[in-house]
Each structure stands twice: as C-alpha cells, then as structure tokens.
Amino acid sequence: MKTWSEMRAFPLAIRLLLVNQLGVNIGFYLLIPYLATHLGEDLGMSAAVVGIVLGVRNLSQQGLFILGGSAADRLGARGVIIAGCALRTVGFALFALGDGLPVLLAASILSGLAGALFNPAVRAYLAAEAGDRKAEAFALFNIFATTGALVGPLIGSALLLVDFRASALTAAAIFALLTAAQAAVLPAREVPASKGSVLGDWREVLANRAFLAFSLAMVGMFTMENQLYLLLPDGARRATGWDGAAGIVFLVGTLANLTLQMRITRSLKERGTRARWVAIGLALMGAAFVPPMAVAGASGTGGGAGRAALALVPVLAGALLLYVGVMTAQPFVMELIPEFGRAELTGTYFGIFYVVSGIAAAVGNTVVGWAMDAGAHGAPWLPWACCLAFGLASAAGVGWLHRLRALPVRAVAVTA
C-alpha cells in the first residue's frame, strides 16, 4: 500500500517510467536467460558461437552506455528512451524471425545498443523529474525492476512450453507497447544548447577523480548483486538438492523488496547522509554471504524434506540480507551520481558510471567464478568469502571517500 501511495505522489511521467521499468525487465528476463539454451540445443550451435552471440550483446550494451548518456544530455532523454525501446523491439523480434548467425548477431547488437541508450536516459530523466525526491523515485524504480526480474522468467518458462519464438515475439510486443506509451505520455523538455563537444563532456567527467573513485568503489555492489543470479541460487540448489530452491530465493527477495524498500528509504533519508547509508548498505551486502557459509559444501540429497528446508534457511537469510543491503544503498547511490557535476551532464555521468562499474563488476564476477571452481576442490567457503571481502572493501572505499570530503556532502533533506 505504501508503494502505491508513494507512486501516486509523483507526476505521470515518473509513474510511466516506473511501469516502463517493470515492463522492460519482464520483457528482458522472459527471453535472455533462455537464449543460450535456444542457441545451443534448438539451433545446435557450438559453445564458442553461443559465447560470441551473448558476448556481442553484452559488449554492445556495456561499452556504449557512454553514448546513451551523451545522447540523453544533447538530444533529450525522452527521445533516447523511445529510440532505445524501439530498437529493443526490433532486436527481440529478430531473435524470433531468424536462425542464421548474421541475423542473431544483428539481434544481439540491436538489443544491446537499446539497453545502452535507454538505461542512462531513463535514470537521467527520472533524476531531473524527481527534484528533491530522487531517493524515493529510485527506490520505487528498484521495486519495479526487481518485480519485473522475478515475473519475467516465470512468463518465459511458460512460453517455452510453446517454443522460443513465442517468448521472443512476446518480449518484442511488450517493448512495442512501451514505446507507444512513452511517445504518448512522456512530455518533451527543452534541451539547453551544448557549449562544447561530446569529447569535451567525456573529458570533464573522466577528470572528476572523486566520481571515478566512487564508481570503482561500486564494484562490490554490482558484483554482489549479480550473485542473486549465480552464487545464491547455486548455494540453494546444493544445500537442498532441489533445482526449484533457486526460485524461492528470488521470491523471498521480491516480497521483501515490495514490503520494505519504501520504508527503508524514507526512514534512512530522515536520519543521516547518503554516504553513510551507502557504506552501511554495502557492508550489509557483504555480510549477507556469511550465513550461507554454514551450509557450503553440505549436500541436500538425503535426509528428507525437513533437512533440506533447514539447509535452505541460511541461504534464504543471506538472500534477504543482500536485498536489504541493496535497498539501503542503491537509491542513495543513484541520487548521488547526478550531484558530482553539472546538471547538463547527468546522462553522461550515469553512462560513464555504468561503463566503469560494469567493467569492474565483470572483473569481480570473474573472481567469484574462479573461487567457485577452486572451492569445488575442498574449499566450498571460498566464493562466499570473496563476496564478503568485496562488500567490506566497497564499504570501506565509500567511507574513505566520505572522510576525505570527496563525495557530494549535502546532508539528506528531512521530510515532513
């Protein structure tokens, strides 16, 4: 109830963007998690070719965030959001209509470019429209995104009972509807004339050492958040011996997000600075990996349902704590980013933030993957310990930047 009342307090444009993010994540997650299986099993492609198709999609998104951010600043976030959503409509439709490698590569490039366009543009538009209520707006954004990430795979698994093309066409239809809604509802805003070049904008942002340090400190947040799709589901399956245990992890997290996100954000916003809560949130995220260590290496293949349920409890406790950490830190991270520089460069700041943190998180995920492989040979606690270390290191980094007064220091406004 709190979520809906908060949502109604925002203007129509922000409400649309929240629903947009729900739809974007539903469309994305009903298709992409099953793409590798479709390419390998249905189309008979080798693992190397599957890796190329998936890698091209990821690279075209992560590497081009900076272009999407600059486009939002110079052309207006509204047009970039609409263009990005339209491109993803075409890209996902191509996944349904073509089986050849050139078509699949084109689909991967278009869907990745689409994300690179609308992800920073949506956040720039949200930050501009929310005014002094950025934290609440991004908290709601997190709720809708998390819900979409849960609902999408459920719809996708049902559609796969028909075939993969049904999933791809459904995703494309969702993005087409979102594109039409954005064109009809999002108001256009006048874009101030840019005084310098795009390269000059990039140089200005990259010269902001405090911003770059903050972006690198966020490697822990993105690496740990990604374990909701890798390490924690794997831990749940290993602890219980049941593949469906991974779904319980997502369900618990989504329910917690729906019920607690706005309460947490509003409560913390009234009690301190953003840097403090970002650091505490990161520390909580790191601590989330301590409970699953209790069942690391344990097998859930025997002992019945009761033993499996008991073995799952530490993993669920870790997942819940991880979600609480994300709910604590993420809205204030998003609120801080635009305040590192000029308002005219909000999109560029978001774009570069996601490029830097995305590259750093890819390195972090590689470390976790190595730890999972190494831990399989007698040290099952190792990947959990790596994530704990990431969380504590990121929290310490943000705390250090705060002590150096390198972060935007405006105290969080008190709300009535």
Side-chain angles (χ1 to χ4, degrees):
M1 204 55 142
K2 190 73 171 175
T3 299
W4 297 115
S5 62
E6 286 282 351
M7 181 180 174
R8 287 195 298 269
F10 282 102
L12 179 60
I14 288 183
R15 298 201 299 270
L16 174 65
L17 290 179
L18 296 176
V19 176
N20 175 81
Q21 192 60 28
L22 174 69
V24 163
N25 275 17
I26 289 175
F28 182 87
Y29 285 104
L30 74 81
L31 178 75
I32 294 300
Y34 308 106
L35 180 57
T37 301
H38 169 66
L39 297 176
E41 296 183 4
D42 298 342
L43 302 184
M45 294 183 172
S46 68
V49 174
V50 172
I52 290 172
V53 174
L54 297 180
V56 164
R57 194 211 67 79
N58 189 62
L59 182 62
S60 63
Q61 177 165 312
Q62 296 291 339
L64 297 178
F65 273 133
I66 188 172
L67 295 181
S70 291
D73 289 335
R74 290 177 170 266
L75 303 177
R78 177 184 181 274
V80 177
I81 292 170
I82 294 170
C85 218
L87 277 178
R88 187 155 279 184
T89 301
V90 176
F92 277 32
L94 282 177
F95 279 125
L97 301 177
D99 293 340
L101 183 58
V103 175
L104 292 171
L105 287 175
S108 294
I109 292 170
L110 287 175
S111 61
L113 176 60
L117 289 175
F118 66 67
N119 281 354
V122 164
R123 286 156 178 82
Y125 197 105
L126 201 67
E129 292 290 316
D132 292 335
R133 303 188 64 217
K134 291 184 181 67
E136 290 93 336
F138 281 113
L140 286 169
F141 194 79
N142 187 32
I143 290 172
F144 280 83
T146 302
T147 303
L150 173 70
V151 174
L154 298 178
I155 297 175
S157 62
L159 288 170
L160 284 176
L161 296 176
V162 182
D163 61 16
F164 180 82
R165 286 180 174 79
S167 295
L169 290 174
T170 301
I174 290 173
F175 284 107
L177 288 173
L178 292 174
T179 303
Q182 291 156 6
V185 175
L186 284 183
R189 300 289 187 236
E190 184 178 351
V191 182
S194 301
K195 297 179 180 179
S197 64
V198 171
L199 290 178
D201 292 346
W202 295 355
R203 283 194 296 267
E204 180 178 335
V205 176
L206 293 173
N208 190 329
R209 294 181 180 179
F211 169 71
L212 291 182
F214 180 74
S215 299
L216 289 171
M218 289 301 103
V219 61
M221 186 175 80
F222 285 95
T223 300
M224 291 183 292
E225 199 172 1
N226 285 343
Q227 303 321 307
L228 290 167
Y229 307 101
L230 177 61
L231 187 55
L232 281 164
D234 181 72
R237 286 190 291 265
R238 291 179 183 274
T240 63
W242 176 44
D243 288 342
I248 299 178
V249 171
F250 297 129
L251 179 61
V252 167
T254 302
L255 292 176
N257 189 267
L258 284 169
T259 56
L260 297 177
Q261 176 69 84
M262 292 311 303
R263 290 181 173 88
I264 289 173
T265 301
R266 286 183 63 85
S267 176
L268 299 184
K269 184 174 180 178
E270 297 170 355
R271 289 176 168 80
T273 61
R274 294 161 295 188
R276 174 189 178 188
W277 297 122
V278 171
I280 289 174
L282 290 168
L284 286 173
M285 291 176 72
F289 295 92
V290 175
M293 289 185 191
V295 295
S299 173
T301 56
R307 182 176 177 181
L310 287 175
L312 183 60
V313 169
V315 180
L316 292 181
L320 181 59
L321 191 56
L322 181 58
Y323 272 97
V324 170
V326 173
M327 287 186 275
T328 299
Q330 194 172 72
F332 298 115
V333 171
M334 296 294 103
E335 187 184 32
L336 273 169
I337 291 170
E339 296 185 13
F340 277 98
R342 295 186 288 125
E344 296 83 0
L345 294 182
T346 295
T348 304
Y349 271 95
F350 273 114
I352 291 181
F353 174 79
Y354 278 103
V355 170
V356 172
S357 57
I359 293 172
V363 175
N365 286 332
T366 301
V367 172
V368 173
W370 168 85
M372 291 177 70
D373 290 338
H377 302 289
W381 51 268
L382 186 58
W384 308 99
C386 282
C387 291
L388 171 61
F390 275 120
L392 296 180
S394 288
V398 172
W400 177 66
L401 289 171
H402 182 55
R403 286 193 297 273
L404 291 177
R405 301 178 184 270
L407 302 179
V409 294
R410 178 181 64 83
V412 178
V414 177
T415 58

